[in-house]
Amino acid sequence: MTLVQNQAASMSKDTHDAIVDQLRACHTTDEILEFEKWFNNTVNIGPLYSVICDLLRNRSISRVTASKWFETLLRNRDEKINNL
């Protein structure tokens, strides 16, 4: 848990805002999943779910917004596991 907080602390406000803006621009499940894939492969601050947790913890996003993103990410992971 400390590791995630340290990563988030190193993130600038501009980076924080850009991530929130990009996620809010995603209107479909596919867009959110594509952003997650890009984020996890490109950005070096941790997995997207950890960043969402930090945004929620810092009250940068609402619980409703976070739950929408988490639900999308978790459903996708469940589908992948069930397909194995």
Side-chain angles (χ1 to χ4, degrees):
M1 185 177 242
T2 303
L3 180 62
V4 173
Q5 290 174 347
N6 288 340
Q7 290 171 341
S10 68
M11 194 178 358
S12 72
K13 181 173 177 5
D14 291 337
T15 303
H16 233 119
D17 294 344
I19 292 168
V20 172
D21 289 344
Q22 286 293 319
L23 278 166
R24 286 186 176 147
C26 298
H27 298 290
T28 67
T29 298
D30 291 337
E31 289 173 341
I32 293 170
L33 295 175
E34 275 300 311
F35 179 74
E36 179 197 27
K37 182 178 176 183
W38 173 85
F39 184 90
N40 289 341
N41 290 330
T42 308
V43 181
N44 192 20
I45 56 175
L48 183 58
Y49 67 83
S50 293
V51 174
I52 293 171
C53 287
D54 179 60
L55 294 170
L56 187 57
R57 190 178 308 110
N58 293 330
R59 298 183 181 183
S60 299
I61 58 173
S62 71
R63 292 176 290 182
V64 172
T65 301
S67 68
K68 173 186 161 187
W69 297 337
F70 281 135
E71 182 177 29
T72 300
L73 299 177
L74 291 171
R75 281 187 182 183
N76 180 257
R77 281 191 177 47
D78 287 345
E79 287 174 9
K80 286 179 181 178
I81 290 170
N82 289 335
N83 288 334
L84 290 177

